[in-house]
Amino acid sequence: MNRLKLILFALNHASARAVDRAGADWCGGDTRGPRSQAHDELASQALHALLPKRRR
């Protein structure tokens, strides 16, 4: 169940990032540029949590 929640969380933030990135391209990036970067970082962290941990 946790994996499903992480996948849905990552997809949600990836789509929000796309919307904010498009808004930054159209209207200027004062607010939406940093917001899209924050969504990108959250999606990236969720996807990294899904990857299996490497053993050394």
Side-chain angles (χ1 to χ4, degrees):
M1 187 66 175
N2 282 341
R3 291 175 89 61
L4 178 62
K5 285 183 181 181
L6 281 172
I7 290 169
L8 293 175
F9 182 82
L11 289 174
N12 185 24
H13 281 283
S15 90
R17 179 198 140 325
V19 168
D20 284 332
R21 175 54 51 201
D25 290 344
W26 273 86
C27 302
D30 294 343
T31 304
R32 290 188 179 253
R35 190 182 299 170
S36 71
Q37 290 175 346
H39 283 300
D40 191 31
E41 290 174 15
L42 284 172
S44 175
Q45 289 176 3
L47 290 175
H48 284 292
L50 286 171
L51 296 175
K53 303 214 185 315
R54 291 184 183 178
R55 295 183 184 173
R56 292 182 181 213

